[in-house]
Amino acid sequence: MNAKAITPILNVSDITASFAWFAKAGWAKCWDWTPPGADAPGFGAVGSGECEIFLCKDGQGGRGKSDLTHTTEPLGNDRSEKGVWMTVWVDDVDKVHECCVREGLEITHPPTNEPWGVREFHLRHPDGHVLRVSAHIAHGRQDSAFNARSTP
């Protein structure tokens, strides 16, 4: 196999609300599709840079938000989350974090220099999906070129 790209599909309860949520985090609506006979979109996509995430209303995977306010130990339990987890690689974790805080989005783990060589924070979608917003730390600086196999 020689994969060219991966597009995660998130099961969401409301496509329009998810487009608005992603817009607050700096993503743009790419497109949507309304099934025949439906009055609202049932599938769509958001994009940022070269990346795209598909959104599917009530299908294609699970969702569910735990009642914990943190997604890492000791204050949280990442195994209790029922949504999709994904890492989103960025150039400046702190700048993205500031934007998400300003927009009132749920942060479940603050920007932290992790022992596996990345700086990251966790951003939780209303349907329980967790985005690990990350940048590789190289020689005291953030660097988006990273070998993802070293992440737990």
Side-chain angles (χ1 to χ4, degrees):
M1 179 187 311
N2 182 20
K4 301 295 183 187
I6 292 179
T7 304
I9 302 171
L10 303 183
N11 177 325
V12 298
S13 58
D14 185 322
I15 294 251
T16 303
S18 288
F19 283 140
W21 184 88
F22 274 98
K24 290 179 180 181
W27 292 69
K29 176 182 171 182
C30 298
W31 54 268
D32 65 24
W33 175 75
T34 302
D39 59 352
F43 204 82
V46 292
S48 175
E50 298 290 319
C51 299
E52 203 169 58
I53 298 173
F54 288 171
L55 307 173
C56 182
K57 184 178 183 324
D58 296 329
Q60 299 193 23
R63 68 174 185 253
K65 181 177 170 180
S66 77
D67 60 355
L68 300 172
T69 58
H70 291 66
T71 50
T72 58
E73 303 291 349
L75 298 174
N77 180 351
D78 59 15
R79 291 172 295 281
S80 71
E81 295 292 340
K82 298 169 187 69
V84 172
W85 280 56
M86 68 185 84
T87 299
V88 178
W89 297 102
V90 300
D91 290 325
D92 189 333
V93 168
D94 295 296
K95 184 175 179 181
V96 175
H97 177 260
E98 289 171 12
C99 172
C100 293
V101 168
R102 185 173 52 251
E103 291 294 336
L105 301 178
E106 183 181 8
I107 308 299
T108 58
H109 180 66
T112 304
N113 289 345
E114 301 293 358
W116 49 87
V118 300
R119 180 164 181 78
E120 72 178 39
F121 75 94
H122 297 180
L123 175 62
R124 186 161 48 192
H125 180 275
D127 286 318
H129 307 297
V130 177
L131 285 69
R132 292 172 64 161
V133 181
S134 305
H136 176 61
I137 301 170
H139 308 292
R141 65 179 178 82
Q142 294 179 4
D143 187 339
S144 61
F146 179 71
N147 178 349
R149 290 180 300 218
S150 67
T151 307

